[in-house]
Amino acid sequence: MSIKNEGKIGVILMTYGSATTAEHVGEYFERIYNGKASAELITDFENRYRLVGHSPLVEITKAQAAALEDALGKRYVVRAGMRHSAPFIEEAVGECVAEGATSLVGIILSPQFSSFIMEGYKKEFVDGAQKHDIAPAV
């Protein structure tokens, strides 16, 4: 799909997501394991989170989005969207639309390539765009 030349362009920086604190581990694991994570695994991760305090992934990605938005200028709205934790990709799409975006570009920040993983991001991105009636550039 082509990017429209009218209105703002939304940019979604997409990453896997993370539980931000020990209290979010159960909810996070429910999403990625569909209820199949053992109680022992969840407890182990909760303990690890308590040792380190939190995961900075979401706040780092939000900071990257803000810096990119500043660098690109007023025609762009840049948001961070996670596959498996808040803020979810669909939420990021909604924020871009609310800020006046009429088209979207998605950038996957995954450090490794896997067709399976990339298709998951693409599906979340396209589904979010369709729900908010905006054209995605994929």
Side-chain angles (χ1 to χ4, degrees):
M1 293 182 192
S2 64
I3 299 173
K4 296 178 185 176
N5 288 328
E6 62 223 38
K8 292 185 178 183
I9 298 170
V11 179
I12 310 295
L13 300 184
M14 298 179 286
T15 191
Y16 198 76
S18 176
T20 50
T21 67
E23 291 73 28
H24 298 119
V25 168
E27 174 187 336
Y28 174 69
F29 272 35
E30 175 67 30
R31 186 158 171 95
I32 61 174
Y33 289 109
N34 294 318
K36 296 177 182 154
S38 70
E40 294 81 16
L41 178 64
I42 293 170
T43 299
D44 181 49
F45 268 76
E46 287 171 341
N47 290 335
R48 291 178 194 207
Y49 269 81
R50 285 186 187 95
L51 288 172
V52 298
H54 76 290
S55 169
L57 177 65
V58 173
E59 63 193 47
I60 289 169
T61 309
K62 285 181 173 182
Q64 289 174 314
L68 182 58
E69 184 174 89
D70 287 344
L72 291 174
K74 295 180 189 238
R75 183 149 184 247
Y76 294 86
V77 179
V78 184
R79 295 294 182 267
M82 311 295 142
R83 275 200 67 202
H84 297 291
S85 67
F88 293 102
I89 292 168
E90 181 191 316
E91 294 170 10
V93 169
E95 288 182 19
C96 287
V97 170
E99 292 292 325
T102 58
S103 61
L104 289 175
V105 175
I107 300 172
I108 301 168
L109 301 179
S110 178
Q112 71 280 342
F113 178 83
S114 157
S115 296
F116 178 75
I117 292 171
M118 297 304 127
E119 284 302 314
Y121 284 107
K122 182 178 175 182
K123 181 180 180 340
E124 295 282 334
F125 179 67
V126 170
D127 288 352
Q130 289 175 343
K131 183 171 183 178
H132 292 281
D133 197 30
I134 186 169
V138 293

